[in-house]
Amino acid sequence: MTIDGFVGGPNGENDWVFIPGPPDPEALKRIINFGAELAAGCDTLLLGRKLAASGFCTHWENVADNQPENPWNPLAKLIAGHRKIAFSSAETSFAGRNLEVENGDLATAVQALKEQPGKDILVYGGAGFVSSLISLNLIDEYYIITNPVAIGAGLSIFKERKNLKLESSVAYKSGKVVNKYLPVPVGS
């Protein structure tokens, strides 16, 4: 997320995610490890239609299967191996291993998934999908990586007021900050 609260440019651009500047290999390593720790603690990934259609799954499968030296490989192996559910009102299939498509009511389907035994559920996006989950109060923990860049306009995942409690924060020399937030119940 940018410091001005956007997860993508007006047309979904994400050229700001890896901003230019002095390389910070330690920060990259920590961000990759952070992603791998989150993925290791879950067994199901949720994706929106646009992200699933963009080749998200096949990208990570390629890194996992064909790029052992890539620093993202450990995370890619987890993503490739996890159960993935793409939500769409119209599509019935997308390319990817362990990928199911859910066409039912979003709130009902996610609530049913949350009641199943297993590890945590991790949401990858896209922006519209995440925004829908937030609006339906289906997010239990928010992990937001803030980049030290402002883009002035773009896609926001928050469409209405949400009160959040900061649980933890880690800052990197690159200026990126990883914040973990928990929702604050209404009336608290």
Side-chain angles (χ1 to χ4, degrees):
M1 181 177 285
T2 64
I3 61 170
D4 51 350
F6 300 110
V7 296
N11 298 307
E13 303 91 345
N14 64 358
D15 56 335
W16 52 269
V17 173
F18 294 103
I19 57 174
D24 188 349
E26 186 60 31
L28 179 61
K29 181 180 174 184
R30 286 184 181 183
I31 293 289
I32 292 170
N33 289 341
F34 168 74
E37 286 174 23
L38 277 180
C42 78
D43 57 9
T44 303
L45 304 178
L46 303 185
L47 313 171
R49 172 190 54 82
K50 290 179 185 176
L51 185 62
S54 75
F56 173 87
C57 294
T58 54
H59 165 78
W60 289 108
E61 290 166 10
N62 180 49
V63 173
D65 297 344
N66 303 312
Q67 301 176 30
E69 301 303 318
N70 187 319
W72 294 94
N73 183 272
L75 175 59
K77 286 181 177 180
L78 290 167
I79 291 172
H82 281 342
R83 174 187 187 196
K84 292 169 280 298
I85 303 171
F87 287 78
S88 174
S89 59
E91 301 296 325
T92 57
S93 68
F94 296 102
R97 261 187 299 228
N98 307 317
L99 179 60
E100 307 163 27
V101 178
E102 173 61 53
N103 300 115
D105 176 70
L106 179 61
T108 303
V110 171
Q111 199 56 49
L113 287 168
K114 290 171 84 169
E115 293 171 5
Q116 291 179 4
K119 295 182 176 181
D120 289 342
I121 299 168
L122 188 60
V123 178
Y124 268 91
F129 176 63
V130 171
S131 182
S132 295
L133 293 171
I134 292 169
S135 293
L136 293 167
N137 296 313
L138 293 170
I139 305 291
D140 298 322
E141 299 175 343
Y142 295 82
Y143 291 90
I144 298 175
I145 301 171
T146 304
N147 288 281
V149 62
I151 59 174
L155 303 174
S156 174
I157 56 174
F158 295 98
K159 302 300 182 199
E160 66 270 335
R161 181 181 180 145
K162 290 290 176 186
N163 293 328
L164 304 174
K165 173 187 169 194
L166 181 64
E167 179 79 8
S168 63
S169 185
V170 178
Y172 298 99
K173 290 179 193 174
S174 65
K176 290 183 186 282
V177 178
V178 177
N179 291 318
K180 177 184 177 182
Y181 295 98
L182 302 177
V184 175
V186 176
S188 294

